[in-house]
């Protein structure tokens, strides 16, 4: 609770500082893309990686955006969204002041074109995961229909979307890889090199592997925004290089890792400008129930008791995380503050193992990537703790790409990963529905009829209170069943320069910012 | 000479084919795919249906022999295929990274040659002197310094403390942004060149023809210019050639550290994203560059030293 209060205080102070001054027009925002590799390409529909979302938020816009204050998706390109009584049909009244960067007004045809493109029978776009929920989308993709039945143009500025089932479209449609493209431009070859969108900045330059830049779009639909004349996003995967560049005032913001977090907090100047947020990621060790010991709930609970999670968070993660109690993170609307985490209790762990028939312990293979916050370094710290209760661990180090593949295929005994656990608590918990396939997100083959029933009820009800109550109950059952070792919820930390203002505490991913709200004061060294 | 050149060029074909085959098999057996790389951050894990469709679209669902036949067929037409990531022809993807890579390689080798060769020469001319000892200790240190660490130290000193250069980035492709990555990359070949030059000069200084020249009364400056330099140059040139090819491959760490948009960072990104056509294209390009540079060096050696005959 104290940690949450501290977090709120930090965010509030940052927000207050930003609001206390009048935004200055002009200048350059020098942002960084910290997640390793170069951008995939300039067609955001082809990539669902966070790294690519960072540039897409400058150039493109979607039907919805994430509202960091309200903590929910809100309509962005629509002035109103009305749902039918059965919740299946949503009518979007598009804003009439939105213009693409080549000067043409946003029309209903562009929305229909975009979703039809994403369901292309020839190209597999990641966003088809969400567009597939529209009635007739799958038939179109299979070549059984010429258009998507559920997409209907009412007039130039009104689109009606009918879904296959009752759905809250905002959580899916806010993703950058569902950005609305201009129907007349997107098919041109030039679009792949020079993207045209509805975002606050016009594309000017992309140097693959190094940077991307844009300039203010004067006809952006939010009056007076963006504030900055230009933005530059530098691709900087190396944390140490980012650190030097930040201290050298060459970049305006930098995502911090655990080691830097400690150093920045200890520095009298740097500590003044740190933004922290509890992101919607749950770090966990998934246990495969097809591996005999892990089929027993008592063994899984024993593992949760055997690990001194608080110690690992303090020493290895350097307090750059919140202790996990169950699956849903602190920023989730269904987070249960009354839940207490598993206590570090090796004796209880031994007792549970004995009851389960593993008094002499057992050995398992733990698949892990090299990630410093949820990879091999963490596993190495846990090994002696598990050894104390008789459990031996063999580490199987793999690349991130391989981890993703072996977990989906169930080719593991245990794995450690950071998985999304929001922002929609229903979608996050639906991964534990027995009908959710392992290769979708039920990686631990979780199966509990009571959870299935509660999730079905939560999906069917219109009563938000009942929905949240049902989801909280699922979260409690999950804690009891312990399909994973509940490690931590990520605390994302960003250091920013004193001249940068308007940052938002985005719980879905702190690095994703809405650039139109950012501004730099006159002390910025960049022109 | 022309027959020799033609034969060397023809010899590159089986080498390239062997490299292509090894890369293809290697990336066909290691786990992970482009589709699975899209979900490795655990955030927006790719839907299973999308993944299967993506694998089909990219031809990854086909049996290994079908994919290999297709790949060889494309290669025969000088077609490296299309990038999984950018969906553009691989040749174009590589072409846009070649110039930054060439800039970095040329600058780092220029730095290595301009500093390393004279240093080695001077050390050899005064064996056992303070200059010799210091320069050779520095050379050994240069060879053993990890590039990542050295790059960070250069950033810290010359960007953060002295403010002489930017710490990262490509800028407008000018010298200001090039200096630090080039030095970080060039220190290792510099050290090797200094040691090689020193060793070869020392060896030549004791050769019979040098002693004869001196005994005939030839001035020391002429001995150095006509005998030492020309003879040492053959060994130095061979080392330069080998190092030039190597720095393009070794630039991986430096390019990532300095956000330099070269072939090395493209290769690393493509491996982690399992963009197999680009990985194959990058490695083939690096191998080709290496072979061409060595061919050029062989020709230059023959021009410098008339004793070398190519038949």
């Amino acid at each position: 609770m104290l940690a949450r209060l501290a977090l709120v205080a930090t965010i509030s102070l940052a927000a207050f500082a930003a609001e206390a001054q009048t935004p200055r027009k002009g200048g350059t925002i020098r942002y960084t893309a910290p997640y390793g590799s170069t951008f995939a390409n300039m067609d955001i529909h082809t990539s669902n990686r966070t790294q690519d979302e960072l540039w897409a938020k400058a150039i493109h816009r979607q039907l919805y955006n994430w509202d960091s204050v309200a903590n929910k998706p809100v309509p962005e390109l629509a002035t109103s969204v009305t749902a039918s009584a059965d919740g299946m049909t949503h009518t979007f009244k598009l804003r009439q002041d939105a213009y693409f960067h080549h000067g043409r007004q946003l029309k209903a045809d562009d929305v229909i074109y975009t979703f039809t493109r994403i369901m292309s029978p020839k190209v597999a776009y990641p966003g088809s995961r969400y567009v597939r929920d529209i009635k007739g989308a799958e038939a179109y993709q299979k070549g059984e229909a010429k258009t998507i039945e559920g997409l209907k143009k009412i007039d130039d500025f009104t689109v009606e979307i009918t879904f296959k089932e009752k759905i809250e479209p905002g959580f899916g449609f806010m993703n950058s890889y569902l950005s609305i493209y201009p129907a007349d431009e997107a098919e041109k070859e030039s679009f792949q090199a020079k993207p045209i969108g509805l975002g606050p900045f016009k594309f000017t330059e992309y140097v693959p592997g190094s940077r991307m830049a844009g300039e203010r779009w004067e006809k952006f639909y939010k009056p007076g925004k963006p504030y900055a004349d230009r933005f530059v996003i530098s691709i900087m995967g190396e944390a140490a290089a980012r650190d030097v560049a930040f201290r050298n005032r060459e970049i305006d913001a930098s995502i911090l890792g655990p080691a830097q977090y400690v150093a920045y907090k200890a520095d009298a100047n740097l500590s003044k400008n740190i933004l922290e947020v509890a992101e919607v990621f749950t770090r966990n060790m998934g246990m495969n129930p097809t591996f005999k010991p892990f089929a027993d709930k008592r063994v899984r609970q024993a593992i949760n008791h055997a690990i001194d999670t608080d110690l690992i968070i303090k020493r290895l993660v350097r307090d750059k995380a919140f202790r996990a109690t169950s699956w849903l993170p602190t920023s989730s609307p269904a987070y249960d503050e009354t839940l207490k985490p598993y206590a570090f209790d090796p004796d209880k762990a031994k007792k549970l193992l004995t009851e389960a028939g593993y008094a002499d312990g057992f050995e398992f293979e733990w698949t892990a990537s090299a990630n410093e916050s949820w990879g091999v370094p963490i596993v190495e710290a846990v090994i002696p703790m598990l050894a104390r209760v008789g459990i031996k661990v063999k580490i199987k180090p793999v690349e991130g790409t391989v981890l993703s593949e072996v977990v989906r295929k169930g080719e593991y005994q245990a794995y450690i990963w950071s998985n999304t656990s929001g922002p929609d608590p229903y979608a996050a918990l639906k991964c534990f529905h027995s009908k959710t396939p392992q290769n979708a997100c039920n990686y631990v083959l979780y199966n509990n009829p009571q959870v299935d029933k509660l999730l079905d009820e939560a999906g069917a009800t219109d009563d938000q209170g009942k929905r949240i109550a049902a989801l909280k109950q699922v979260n409690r059952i999950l804690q009891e069943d312990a399909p994973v070792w509940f490690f931590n919820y990520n605390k994302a930390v960003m250091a920013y320069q004193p001249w940068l203002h308007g940052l938002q505490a985005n719980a879905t991913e702190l690095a994703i910012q809405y650039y139109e709200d950012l501004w730099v004061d006159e002390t910025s060294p960049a022109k | 000479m022309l027959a020799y050149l033609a034969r060397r060029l023809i010899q590159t074909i089986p080498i390239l084919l062997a490299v292509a085959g090894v890369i293809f098999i290697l990336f066909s057996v290691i786990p992970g795919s482009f589709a699975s790389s899209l979900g490795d951050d655990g955030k927006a894990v790719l839907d299973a249906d999308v993944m299967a469709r993506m694998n089909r679209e990219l031809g990854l669902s086909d049996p290994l022999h079908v994919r290999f036949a297709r790949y060889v067929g494309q290669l025969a037409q000088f077609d490296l295929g299309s990038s999984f990531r950018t969906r553009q022809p691989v040749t174009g993807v590589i072409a846009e990274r070649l110039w930054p890579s060439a800039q970095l390689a040329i600058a780092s080798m220029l730095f290595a040659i301009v500093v390393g060769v004279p240093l080695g020469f001077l050390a050899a001319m005064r064996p056992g002197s303070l200059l010799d000892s210091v320069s050779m200790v520095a050379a050994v240190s240069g060879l053993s310094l990890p590039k990542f660490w050295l790059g960070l130290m250069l950033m810290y000193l010359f960007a953060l403390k002295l403010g002489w250069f930017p710490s990262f980035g490509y800028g407008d492709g000018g010298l200001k942004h090039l200096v630090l990555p080039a030095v970080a990359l060039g220190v290792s070949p510099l050290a090797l060149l200094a040691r090689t030059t020193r060793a070869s000069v020392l060896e030549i200084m004791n050769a019979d023809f040098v002693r004869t020249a001196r005994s005939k009364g030839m001035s020391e400056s002429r001995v150095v210019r006509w005998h030492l330099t020309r003879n040492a140059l053959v060994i130095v040139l061979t080392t330069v050639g080998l190092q030039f090819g190597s720095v393009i491959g070794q630039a991986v760490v430096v390019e990532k550290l300095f956000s330099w948009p070269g072939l090395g960072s493209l290769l690393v990104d493509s491996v982690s994203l399992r963009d197999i056509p680009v990985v194959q294209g990058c490695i083939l390009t690096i191998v080709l560059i290496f072979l061409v540079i060595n061919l050029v060096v062989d020709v230059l050696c023959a021009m410098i030293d008339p004793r070398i005959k190519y038949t």
Side-chain angles (χ1 to χ4, degrees), chain A residues 32 36-41 46-51 53 118-130 132 138 141 175 177 189 192 205-211 234-238 240-241 244-251 281 374 399-406 408 417-420 439-441 443 508-509 512, chain B residues 30-55 57 83-88 93 96-97 100 148 152 154-163 165-173 177 253 255-262 265-266 268-275:
Chain A
T32 48
S37 65
T38 184
F39 299 136
N41 56 45
T46 65
S47 174
N48 59 340
R49 291 169 66 95
T50 306
Q51 184 83 334
E53 283 210 70
I118 289 170
M119 287 310 288
S120 163
K122 290 179 186 166
V123 183
Y125 291 111
S128 59
R129 170 190 185 182
Y130 297 109
R132 202 170 49 203
E138 281 182 291
Q141 194 172 57
N175 288 296
Y177 47 98
E189 205 168 311
Q192 301 294 322
E205 177 197 40
Y206 173 45
V207 181
S210 189
R211 66 170 185 267
S234 298
I235 299 164
M236 298 186 76
E238 294 299 338
V244 174
F246 184 82
R247 289 170 189 265
N248 203 31
R249 307 175 3 133
E250 291 175 86
I251 55 175
F281 294 100
W374 43 268
E399 267 184 278
T401 305
V402 179
L403 178 74
S404 156
E405 189 160 290
V406 298
R408 287 155 176 271
W417 206 1
S418 173
N419 296 112
T420 182
N439 62 9
C441 57
Y443 306 127
T508 65
E509 169 60 61
I512 294 176
Chain B
I30 60 169
S33 66
F34 174 69
S36 63
S37 81
L38 291 177
D40 65 357
D41 60 8
K43 188 194 171 201
V45 176
L46 210 58
D47 181 78
D49 175 66
V50 178
M51 215 166 160
R53 291 187 61 238
M54 196 173 275
N55 282 336
E57 177 202 334
S83 161
F84 294 167
R85 182 172 57 85
T86 66
R87 310 200 178 207
Q88 306 291 316
V93 174
E96 63 189 4
R97 301 292 190 105
F148 186 86
L152 273 179
L154 291 172
M155 278 181 182
Y156 181 78
L157 181 63
F158 293 104
L160 188 58
K161 289 292 163 194
L162 299 171
F165 303 104
S167 71
F168 76 99
Y170 185 62
D172 55 3
H177 286 82
V253 174
E255 286 181 10
K256 289 299 280 183
L257 185 66
F258 287 93
S259 300
W260 190 264
S265 62
L266 175 66
V268 175
D269 288 346
S270 303
V271 169
S272 66
L273 291 170
R274 297 289 189 276
D275 191 351

Side-chain angles (χ1 to χ4, degrees), chain B residues 134-146 149-150 187-188 191 195:
Chain B
V134 170
S135 61
M136 286 308 108
V137 167
V140 172
S141 308
L143 274 172
S144 52
L145 284 179
W149 181 85
L150 178 65
V187 163
S188 177
R195 285 187 69 84

Side-chain angles (χ1 to χ4, degrees), chain B residues 56-95:
Chain B
R56 274 200 303 277
E57 177 202 334
L58 300 174
L60 296 171
S61 324
D62 296 335
L64 188 66
H65 67 276
V66 173
R67 280 186 280 148
F68 188 65
R70 187 167 56 225
Y71 176 56
V72 173
Q74 283 175 338
L75 271 187
Q77 299 170 63
F78 301 102
D79 177 7
L80 294 172
S82 290
S83 161
F84 294 167
R85 182 172 57 85
T86 66
R87 310 200 178 207
Q88 306 291 316
V90 170
T91 41
V93 174
I94 290 175

Side-chain angles (χ1 to χ4, degrees), chain B:
Chain B
M1 177 63 92
L2 277 177
Y4 170 77
L5 279 175
R7 201 167 56 249
R8 282 287 299 269
L9 284 172
I10 290 167
Q11 279 172 357
T12 59
I13 295 169
I15 294 171
L16 288 173
L17 280 177
V19 169
V22 169
I23 307 163
F24 181 88
I25 291 163
L26 195 68
F27 276 86
S28 299
V29 296
I30 60 169
S33 66
F34 174 69
S36 63
S37 81
L38 291 177
D40 65 357
D41 60 8
K43 188 194 171 201
V45 176
L46 210 58
D47 181 78
D49 175 66
V50 178
M51 215 166 160
R53 291 187 61 238
M54 196 173 275
N55 282 336
R56 274 200 303 277
E57 177 202 334
L58 300 174
L60 296 171
S61 324
D62 296 335
L64 188 66
H65 67 276
V66 173
R67 280 186 280 148
F68 188 65
R70 187 167 56 225
Y71 176 56
V72 173
Q74 283 175 338
L75 271 187
Q77 299 170 63
F78 301 102
D79 177 7
L80 294 172
S82 290
S83 161
F84 294 167
R85 182 172 57 85
T86 66
R87 310 200 178 207
Q88 306 291 316
V90 170
T91 41
V93 174
I94 290 175
E96 63 189 4
R97 301 292 190 105
L98 267 182
W99 175 236
S101 262
Q103 279 180 294
L104 189 56
I106 292 166
S108 63
M109 283 311 293
L110 270 178
F111 168 67
I113 294 165
V114 168
V115 181
V117 174
L119 198 66
F121 214 95
L122 288 172
M125 298 301 286
R126 295 170 182 79
S129 67
L130 184 67
L131 174 74
D132 183 27
S133 307
V134 170
S135 61
M136 286 308 108
V137 167
V140 172
S141 308
L143 274 172
S144 52
L145 284 179
K147 288 183 178 57
F148 186 86
W149 181 85
L150 178 65
L152 273 179
M153 290 302 108
L154 291 172
M155 278 181 182
Y156 181 78
L157 181 63
F158 293 104
L160 188 58
K161 289 292 163 194
L162 299 171
W164 291 356
F165 303 104
S167 71
F168 76 99
Y170 185 62
D172 55 3
L175 197 62
K176 210 166 88 174
H177 286 82
L178 182 59
V179 172
L180 293 186
V183 170
L185 188 60
V187 163
S188 177
L190 180 156
L192 192 70
L193 272 174
R195 285 187 69 84
T196 310
T197 306
R198 179 182 179 274
S200 58
V201 170
L202 276 177
E203 191 183 325
I204 296 161
M205 276 169 76
N206 295 322
D208 290 344
F209 62 89
V210 174
R211 201 177 309 121
T212 307
R214 281 188 177 131
S215 65
K216 282 165 66 181
M218 189 183 271
S219 70
E220 191 60 25
S221 63
R222 286 198 61 160
V223 169
V224 169
R225 201 164 57 242
W226 285 103
H227 294 291
L228 281 181
T229 309
R230 288 191 69 175
N231 283 286
L233 212 54
V234 174
I235 299 165
V236 170
L237 206 58
T238 308
T239 312
V240 167
L242 289 169
Q243 286 299 300
F244 203 97
S246 300
V247 292
I248 291 176
Q250 289 171 8
V252 168
V253 174
V254 172
E255 286 181 10
K256 289 299 280 183
L257 185 66
F258 287 93
S259 300
W260 190 264
L263 216 50
S265 62
L266 175 66
L267 179 60
V268 175
D269 288 346
S270 303
V271 169
S272 66
L273 291 170
R274 297 289 189 276
D275 191 351
I276 300 169
V278 176
V279 174
Q280 290 165 336
C282 282
I283 295 177
L284 283 178
T285 306
I286 291 169
V287 170
L288 193 62
I289 291 170
F290 195 85
L291 292 173
V292 169
I293 288 172
N294 276 285
L295 181 61
V296 171
V297 167
D298 284 351
V299 172
L300 285 175
C301 284
M303 289 165 72
I304 292 165
D305 189 345
R307 290 171 301 178
I308 299 171
K309 298 278 181 222
Y310 295 112
T311 52

Side-chain angles (χ1 to χ4, degrees), chain A residues 141-392:
Chain A
Q141 194 172 57
K142 287 174 186 163
E144 294 164 3
K146 286 188 175 172
T147 56
I148 297 176
E149 188 191 342
L151 289 173
K152 194 173 166 189
K153 174 182 170 182
I154 305 296
D155 59 45
D156 271 354
F157 300 102
T158 313
V159 189
E160 187 183 273
I161 302 181
T162 305
F163 294 92
K164 288 187 294 188
E165 56 188 28
K166 191 177 164 187
I167 203 168
E168 169 46 65
F171 287 106
F173 286 1
M174 71 177 191
N175 288 296
S176 294
Y177 47 98
L178 280 98
S179 294
I180 304 301
Y181 278 5
D184 54 338
E185 287 291 320
E187 292 301 317
K188 292 180 184 169
E189 205 168 311
S190 60
F191 187 83
Q192 301 294 322
K194 292 180 180 172
I196 292 170
L198 293 158
F201 290 92
K202 270 196 306 185
F203 172 90
T204 54
E205 177 197 40
Y206 173 45
V207 181
S210 189
R211 66 170 185 267
M212 188 208 184
E215 63 186 15
R216 179 175 30 220
W217 172 227
E218 297 293 352
K219 290 173 88 173
F220 185 58
Y221 50 80
K222 292 181 183 171
K225 293 183 180 179
Y227 299 116
D229 289 338
R230 285 171 297 275
F231 83 93
V232 180
I233 305 178
S234 298
I235 299 164
M236 298 186 76
E238 294 299 338
R242 261 197 331 271
D243 178 37
V244 174
F246 184 82
R247 289 170 189 265
N248 203 31
R249 307 175 3 133
E250 291 175 86
I251 55 175
D252 293 340
S254 176
I255 290 287
L256 304 184
Q260 291 173 331
Y261 179 50
V262 174
Y264 278 51
K265 276 185 81 168
D267 186 293
N269 284 324
L270 296 175
S271 61
K272 288 178 191 163
N273 297 307
I274 289 179
L275 180 60
E276 300 179 2
V277 67
E279 277 186 344
V280 288
F281 294 100
T282 300
R283 278 81 182 267
N284 66 97
M285 168 190 135
M287 293 174 255
N288 193 336
T290 62
F291 176 63
K292 201 180 162 213
F294 292 151
D296 193 314
K297 181 168 87 175
R298 290 166 298 186
V299 173
R300 302 193 302 263
Q301 287 174 332
I303 284 180
N304 272 279
H305 279 300
I307 301 171
D308 190 347
T309 308
D310 286 326
L311 183 70
I312 295 174
I313 290 174
K314 189 174 174 59
R315 293 285 166 83
L316 280 181
V317 190
R318 314 288 183 98
D319 276 330
K320 205 183 91 58
F322 300 100
R323 174 78 195 268
T325 52
S326 180
W327 191 254
L328 294 179
T330 51
S331 48
S332 171
Y335 176 72
D336 189 346
E337 291 191 3
T338 62
L339 270 185
K340 296 277 173 263
Y342 275 90
F344 172 55
D345 190 345
D347 292 335
K348 191 169 181 185
K350 271 186 185 172
K351 190 167 165 279
L352 284 164
L353 285 171
T354 306
E355 283 171 18
Y358 293 100
D360 297 329
F362 63 93
E363 183 175 322
F364 73 91
E365 187 179 74
W366 194 342
T367 306
S369 71
N371 191 287
E372 62 176 329
S373 300
W374 43 268
V376 169
I378 304 298
V379 175
E380 284 171 340
V382 169
I383 286 174
M385 296 175 186
L386 291 180
R388 277 180 65 187
V389 297
I391 300 173
K392 287 184 187 165

